[in-house]
Amino acid sequence: MQAGQSFILMGVSSTGKTTVGLEVARRLQIKLIDGDDLHPRANIVKMGQGQSLNDADRQPWLTRINDAAFSIEQKNEIGIIVCSALKKAYRDQIRADNNKVRFLFLHGDFDLVLSRMQQRKGHFMKTEMLKSQFATLEIPDESEPDVTFIDISGSFESVVEACCQAILAS
């Protein structure tokens, strides 16, 4: 771990980003920022009505994520920012002018994520929107060497451990 480093815990809804992020942050005693808290009011209302966000909706949110990573770097902190970061363009916007950003991609197949989503209570994401998230997802490739893949098909403990190891190794 390096001072000033941000880890974007990314993936579609219901991959465990917030729950995993909370536990990793607790274990490693690092800052956690939930990207859902950085959405503007209009986005929260729109998603609460079961409507998918478009790229224009996401721009102010991605700027806030970028600013949060910049703040962590400038304060020489270490932090996890929970953010779906589904498209390469979104990840590039988060990377812009930030030198110490890495991505941890929580990934699993549609059926696994759907079963987890159906078990969730109190989240503004609607189950119908999962197909839209998978359709939007651009899986990182070799052009993004700052992304570590974390398979979510195992136990919660194994996912947390894989994230901790990825952070400690960077």
Side-chain angles (χ1 to χ4, degrees):
M1 284 190 305
Q2 297 178 22
Q5 199 162 28
S6 294
F7 296 89
I8 310 300
L9 198 55
M10 64 168 283
V12 298
S13 182
S14 297
T15 53
K17 295 182 300 291
T18 301
T19 308
V20 169
L22 284 166
E23 181 59 17
V24 171
R26 185 192 68 76
R27 287 188 190 183
L28 298 180
Q29 298 182 358
I30 60 178
K31 177 180 263 190
L32 174 79
I33 298 172
D34 189 338
D36 284 347
D37 295 336
L38 300 177
H39 272 293
R41 178 186 309 255
N43 288 6
I44 295 168
V45 168
K46 188 172 184 178
M47 289 184 288
Q49 295 171 341
Q51 299 175 41
S52 297
L53 300 179
N54 59 40
D55 284 351
D57 296 326
R58 288 186 181 93
Q59 289 311 305
W61 175 61
L62 291 166
T63 297
R64 289 175 173 183
I65 300 288
N66 176 282
D67 288 346
F70 181 78
S71 176
I72 288 169
E73 184 174 334
Q74 294 304 303
K75 294 193 266 182
N76 281 321
E77 297 174 327
I78 300 169
I80 295 173
I81 302 172
V82 175
C83 168
S84 55
L86 297 178
K87 290 184 178 182
K88 183 178 185 301
Y90 304 163
R91 296 186 292 274
D92 287 345
Q93 186 171 342
I94 294 166
R95 290 179 180 107
D97 300 318
N98 287 321
N99 300 314
K100 296 183 177 181
V101 172
R102 294 201 44 83
F103 294 82
L104 303 178
F105 175 35
L106 299 183
H107 70 97
D109 67 35
F110 181 85
D111 291 334
L112 172 66
V113 177
L114 178 62
S115 70
R116 291 183 180 182
M117 178 177 273
Q118 290 170 333
Q119 296 169 11
R120 294 180 72 179
K121 302 281 187 242
H123 190 265
F124 57 74
M125 177 65 79
K126 304 293 184 202
T127 304
E128 313 81 69
M129 295 171 65
L130 185 60
K131 284 184 182 177
S132 171
Q133 289 229 324
F134 267 90
T136 301
L137 176 63
E138 294 174 359
I139 296 174
D141 61 23
E142 64 279 349
S143 69
E144 297 181 87
D146 58 355
V147 179
T148 300
F149 283 66
I150 308 289
D151 183 357
I152 64 163
S153 64
S155 68
F156 175 75
E157 179 60 34
S158 69
V159 174
V160 169
E161 185 59 29
C163 290
C164 287
Q165 291 304 315
I167 290 170
L168 291 170
S170 59

